[in-house]
Amino acid sequence: MNILVIGSGGREYMLAWKIHQSLHCERLFIAPGNAGTDLFGENIEIDVNDFGAIGQFVIENKVELVVVGPEDPLVNGIRDYFKNDQLKDIAIVGPGKDGARLEGSKDFSKRFMQKNKIPTAKAQTFAIESIDEALSYLRQCKMPIVLKADGLAAGKGVVIANDLKEAQDTLKSMLLDKQFGEASNKVLIEEFLNGIELSVFVLTDGKHYVTLPEAKDYKRIGEEDTGPNTGGMGAVSPVRFADADFMKKVTERIIEPTVHGLQNEGIDYRGFIFIGLMNVKGDPYVIEYNVRMGDPEAQVVIPRIKNDLVELLVKVADGKLGNYQLEVSEDYASTVVMVSDGYPGSYKKGKSIQGLADVTNALVVHAGTKQQDYEVLTNGGRVLAVTGMGSSLTDALKMSYHGVDSIHWEGAYFRKDIGKDILRLHLD
Ligand code: AMP
Ligand code: GLY
C-alpha cells in the first residue's frame, strides 16, 4: 500500500525507517520530511496543517494509510477532516480533535484524570478573571510549584518556580501578559512531584491497546539535568527501574483507566498515547499525556519493536488490535541528540554537516536537516540524533557516542551524560 507520514523531525524519520522495512509498503511519502527521510521515500512539500493539500495528495497518489507524527495537526483536527466523503475510507493513525485534547488542553487532561481516578499531581486551574484568587492560592502552596499553560506552547508552557515571587511573576506573565498567547488563557497551578521520569507509550484502536517499550528522555539542555527544557536531548530504552512490578502498577492504575475513560467519554481514540509519568518512591503519577510518539523517545522505542509496523498501524486504524502480540527486542537502545549552538534559544541554520557517512555502527536519525546540492545542512535546533544498540546500556551508549564523535559542524552541541543516571542508579 501507499503510505504517508506527516511531519519532519526525528520521530518521523524513525516512522519512515520502520515503515520502509515493511513488506506492505509500496510507495512511502513524507510531508514535508527532512534530508534523511528521502532515503526511505519521497519528501513532499506540504505543510502539516494544510489539510486541503494533504487530502488532495492522498487521493491523487492512492495513499491508503496516513500516520500523523506531530501533535499540531491532530489538535487542529486532521482526523476530523478525513471524515469527509472522499477520504473517509483512508486509514489514519492519530486521534480526532476530541481525543487530542488530552495534549491540547492540560485542564481537560487533568479533569479527565481526576474523573477516572488516575494518579496525578494535585492541581487547580485559574483564568484571568480569577487572578487574585490564583495569587492568594499560590501563597498557601509548598515550593517549588509548577505552573502550566493550558494549551499547546511548543514544549515551553511549563515553569517550575522555586519561590513565591517567581511563581507570582510567572503567573502574571502567563495570564496577564499572555506569554504563550491563547495557550495561557488558563493556567494550572500544580503540585511539584519529586521522582524519576519515565515515558510510556500505548497504541490503541479505541477498545484494545498494546504497550510499547518504555523510555527515559533527557529534557534539559545541560549535563546533570541543568538549564532550560528542550524537546529532548537523548533517550534510552529499556529503563531498568520500570520492572514488571512497576509496569503492573502503570497498567492497572494508568493505562487501563485511560483507555476505558476515553471509551466512556465516547471518544473513538485510534493512535498513540504517550504517558509522561513520574516514579515517586515506586508509585507512578501522570505528569502529562501526549497524543503522539515522543521525540527523541521514538529513536529508541521503534528500533526495539520487532513486528511489522505497517500491520500494527493498520490494525490500530481499523479498530482490530484485539489479541495483538507485540514482540520486543531485549537489546538496549540509546540515542544522543546533536543540536545547534544556542538551542533552545536562538541559533543559526545552514551549517554544513560533515562525517555522516563515517557512522557505520549506529543509526543517524535526521531531524532538522536539509539537503542542498551535495551537502547536508543544519536546518533546526535539534539537528540529528545517533541511535546505538547493544546487549547492555553501556554498549548501546558506546555506539551512540562513537557515532556522535564522527559527526561535525560549526557549533554542534550534545550532552555527554545520557543514560549515566540510570547506570549510576543500578551500579552504585
Ligand atoms: P510537560 O510539558 O507537562 O511535560 O512538562 C515539562 C517538564 O516539566 C516535565 O517533563 C517535567 O520534567 C516537569 N514537570 C511537569 N509537571 C511536573 C510536576 N507536577 N512535578 C515535577 N515536575 C514536573
Ligand atoms: N520528548 C518529549 C516529547 O516528545 O514531548
Side-chain angles (χ1 to χ4, degrees), residues 106 110 120-122 144-148 155-160 190-195 197 217 219-220 229-230 274 276-278 286-290:
K106 292 190 189 287
K110 187 61 74 178
T120 182
K122 291 193 184 66
I145 189 85
V146 186
L147 292 126
K148 296 188 171 182
K156 298 195 175 113
V158 175
V159 175
I160 298 172
E190 180 169 301
E191 165 199 23
F192 177 81
L193 296 175
N194 204 353
E197 284 184 67
D217 162 25
K219 284 212 169 75
R220 304 291 192 95
N229 260 333
T230 69
F274 165 169
L277 57 84
M278 192 73 89
V286 178
I287 293 184
E288 62 163 349
Y289 288 110
N290 295 306

Side-chain angles (χ1 to χ4, degrees), residues 218-338:
Y218 293 78
K219 284 212 169 75
R220 304 291 192 95
I221 188 75
E223 271 149 41
E224 302 293 330
D225 293 330
T226 52
N229 260 333
T230 69
M233 296 296 293
V236 300
S237 176
V239 182
R240 277 185 272 176
F241 71 74
D243 56 15
D245 250 16
F246 185 76
M247 289 311 287
K248 186 165 178 269
K249 292 181 192 169
V250 172
T251 302
E252 290 174 358
R253 298 179 193 176
I254 297 172
I255 298 176
E256 296 198 335
T258 298
V259 173
H260 294 147
L262 289 167
Q263 267 175 284
N264 292 342
E265 300 262 333
I267 296 173
D268 184 19
Y269 193 113
R270 300 184 188 203
F272 291 96
I273 309 176
F274 165 169
I275 304 166
L277 57 84
M278 192 73 89
N279 174 351
V280 183
K281 299 193 185 111
D283 288 319
Y285 290 81
V286 178
I287 293 184
E288 62 163 349
Y289 288 110
N290 295 306
V291 297
R292 50 171 176 81
M293 263 311 286
D295 188 343
E297 289 96 327
Q299 285 86 313
V300 292
V301 170
I302 293 178
R304 296 190 57 229
I305 298 175
K306 289 189 185 167
N307 308 59
D308 182 313
L309 190 62
V310 173
E311 263 173 37
L312 174 55
L313 295 175
V314 167
K315 283 184 192 297
V316 166
D318 288 350
K320 295 192 175 137
L321 206 50
N323 298 324
Y324 188 84
Q325 290 301 318
L326 192 76
E327 285 180 61
V328 175
S329 157
E330 300 212 331
D331 279 349
Y332 285 74
S334 62
T335 201
V336 176
V337 178
M338 298 181 76

Side-chain angles (χ1 to χ4, degrees), residues 128 131 168-185 187:
I128 187 160
I131 178 117
Q168 290 177 328
D169 289 349
T170 306
L171 184 78
K172 285 184 204 156
S173 64
M174 282 190 185
L175 280 180
L176 298 178
D177 309 337
K178 303 210 173 299
Q179 186 185 0
F180 300 110
E182 296 242 320
S184 59
N185 278 351
V187 174

Side-chain angles (χ1 to χ4, degrees), residues 25 39 51 71 120 146 152-153 183 188 198 219 307 324 334 342 397:
C25 178
L39 276 175
F51 301 160
E71 63 277 16
T120 182
V146 186
L152 289 186
L188 276 76
L198 181 74
K219 284 212 169 75
N307 308 59
Y324 188 84
S334 62
L397 286 164

Side-chain angles (χ1 to χ4, degrees), residues 4-26:
L4 170 65
V5 172
I6 293 179
S8 65
R11 166 185 48 219
E12 289 75 21
Y13 180 100
M14 291 312 299
L15 288 166
W17 174 82
K18 183 77 176 159
I19 287 170
H20 165 78
Q21 295 169 21
S22 166
L23 293 175
H24 302 285
C25 178
E26 283 171 48

